Amino acid sequence: MKILHLDTNHPLLINQLQAYGFINDEDYTSSKSAIEDKIHAYDGVIIRSRFSIDKTFLDAATNLKFIGRVGAGLENIDGDYAQKKGVQLIAAPEGNRNAVGEHALGMLLSLFNNLNKADQEVRSGHWLREDNRGIELDGKTVGLIGYGNMGKAFAKKLRGFDVEVLCYDIQDHVGDANAKQVSLNEFQDSVDVVSLHTPQTPLTLGMINCEFINAFKKPFWLLNTARGKSVVTKDLVTALKSGKILGAGLDVLEYEKSSFEDLFTSEIPEAFQYLITADNVLLTPHVAGWTVESKEKLAQTIVDKIKNRFKM
């Protein structure tokens, strides 16, 4: 079987597939149309987020048997059409779930204790102790929207704290010893922290908007390590200004390109200008799942799944 690699990944991915008898070609620079011209010669494709795999691409890939996505989300792949064409989708959410859980916890503790703000103040010669009095996580109720690989990983990290963890998910019976599954009404009545762990789907696009935010009984803290387009940024800013949202840790942004490699194509939006100056907002560049360890684990997960499904 011949595999075309479209993005660079951990070397073990190609090395192990080669050892298992797969033929591996690499093309990290050609245009999408150039790839489409030769994709008929390949049985498999491995990609991160370089470009979308749409109907045109899949129609050209007449011998394609699988698409390996070195990551968790599959929104850049036309999964329904791939399924109709008999192409298997292979993702690796197991590979970076621990990294995402640790990143979410780090963001939350930083926000609660003003770590980023205080660090910048001390570097500027300001020693403001009372202004940086923090709050403790113990005693809070943490709510997770989406309780799959990422939500479960974050809930596991919270076991060392005296917190109640609730989860809301469209799937039934996903709760476990680390998180109690509740209705949306109970979720919105109870939580102090909301953390998003959902894929990008029609249901989650623009999910965190004014109506959704205002349905919460208490002001709350928001974390998003999932997908940027789940949060309507201007509505988030409105809630930050009013105090309905107490602070936000955002690893992803509404303005990201679909490749996740770039942010803006034009001028900086007004809502984002507010975020970058707000002391109660923490921003990172879509790296919650990007650790030294997760790079290896993501690649290993893809190798293992390909080997198990297409034994040579």
Side-chain angles (χ1 to χ4, degrees):
M1 293 180 70
K2 292 182 67 177
I3 301 174
L4 181 60
H5 298 255
L6 298 176
D7 288 296
T8 58
N9 289 292
H10 195 284
L12 75 80
L13 203 158
I14 289 179
N15 292 341
Q16 289 191 21
L17 288 174
Q18 189 77 34
Y20 290 131
F22 295 90
I23 299 169
N24 298 272
D25 290 340
E26 303 166 72
D27 189 335
Y28 306 139
T29 58
S30 294
S31 67
K32 184 178 178 182
S33 60
I35 298 294
E36 288 172 354
D37 288 340
K38 65 180 180 179
I39 195 60
H40 64 276
Y42 292 92
D43 302 284
V45 166
I46 294 179
I47 192 169
R48 286 202 318 267
S49 301
R50 180 169 156 197
F51 53 68
S52 62
I53 294 182
D54 52 19
K55 290 182 179 179
T56 302
F57 186 96
L58 290 165
D59 283 338
T62 51
N63 291 303
L64 200 63
K65 297 175 179 63
F66 72 87
I67 301 166
R69 204 259 141 166
V70 188
L74 294 170
E75 67 268 23
N76 287 337
I77 301 171
D78 190 334
D80 291 338
Y81 196 64
Q83 186 176 21
K84 289 179 182 178
K85 303 281 284 187
V87 178
Q88 295 189 40
L89 302 186
I90 301 173
E94 306 91 338
N96 62 354
R97 60 190 175 189
N98 183 72
V100 171
E102 290 190 4
H103 194 97
L105 180 58
M107 279 189 140
L108 183 56
L109 293 174
S110 181
L111 286 168
F112 271 28
N113 293 282
N114 303 305
L115 297 185
N116 195 53
K117 171 179 174 290
D119 173 79
Q120 293 300 316
E121 289 173 354
V122 172
R123 291 172 188 270
S124 300
H126 303 292
W127 193 261
L128 306 175
R129 297 182 66 214
E130 189 58 40
D131 286 355
N132 287 299
R133 188 181 291 274
I135 61 173
E136 296 180 14
L137 184 52
D138 277 17
K140 304 296 189 296
T141 299
V142 180
L144 314 178
I145 299 180
Y147 202 60
N149 279 283
M150 308 305 169
K152 284 180 166 64
F154 186 32
K156 183 178 178 182
K157 302 302 174 190
L158 292 167
R159 287 193 306 196
F161 296 88
D162 184 14
V163 296
E164 181 178 17
V165 182
L166 305 179
C167 66
Y168 171 72
D169 197 291
I170 60 172
Q171 302 293 327
D172 294 328
H173 311 299
V174 298
D176 56 22
N178 296 327
K180 175 186 175 184
Q181 187 171 8
V182 297
S183 68
L184 182 57
N185 285 339
E186 183 176 347
F187 187 95
Q188 291 178 317
D189 283 347
S190 305
V191 301
D192 302 292
V193 176
V194 174
S195 187
L196 302 187
H197 300 280
T198 47
Q200 183 171 305
T201 70
L203 284 175
T204 63
L205 286 172
M207 173 176 62
I208 308 300
N209 55 27
C210 278
E211 181 181 2
F212 188 85
I213 292 167
N214 291 331
F216 283 80
K217 183 177 180 180
K218 299 184 286 186
F220 62 93
W221 301 78
L222 177 68
L223 302 176
N224 188 8
T225 54
R227 287 294 182 261
K229 289 179 174 57
S230 292
V231 176
V232 180
T233 310
K234 63 181 180 61
D235 292 354
L236 167 61
V237 168
T238 297
L240 286 165
K241 289 179 177 179
S242 71
K244 184 66 179 181
I245 291 182
L246 300 169
L250 308 173
D251 180 55
V252 290
L253 291 167
E254 180 182 1
Y255 316 110
E256 288 180 76
K257 293 183 181 179
S258 61
S259 69
F260 309 134
E261 298 299 326
D262 296 291
L263 198 55
F264 304 113
T265 56
S266 58
E267 64 185 57
I268 297 176
E270 183 179 349
F272 185 68
Q273 290 178 345
Y274 177 85
L275 294 181
I276 61 178
T277 60
D279 288 337
N280 59 341
V281 174
L282 192 59
L283 302 167
T284 52
H286 202 141
V287 293
W290 281 47
T291 61
V292 172
E293 293 83 359
S294 73
K295 184 176 183 180
E296 180 175 348
K297 287 188 282 188
L298 284 165
Q300 189 65 61
T301 300
I302 293 294
V303 169
D304 292 343
K305 289 184 177 181
I306 292 173
K307 181 185 68 171
N308 290 337
R309 298 186 194 188
F310 303 95
K311 294 179 180 177
M312 298 292 287

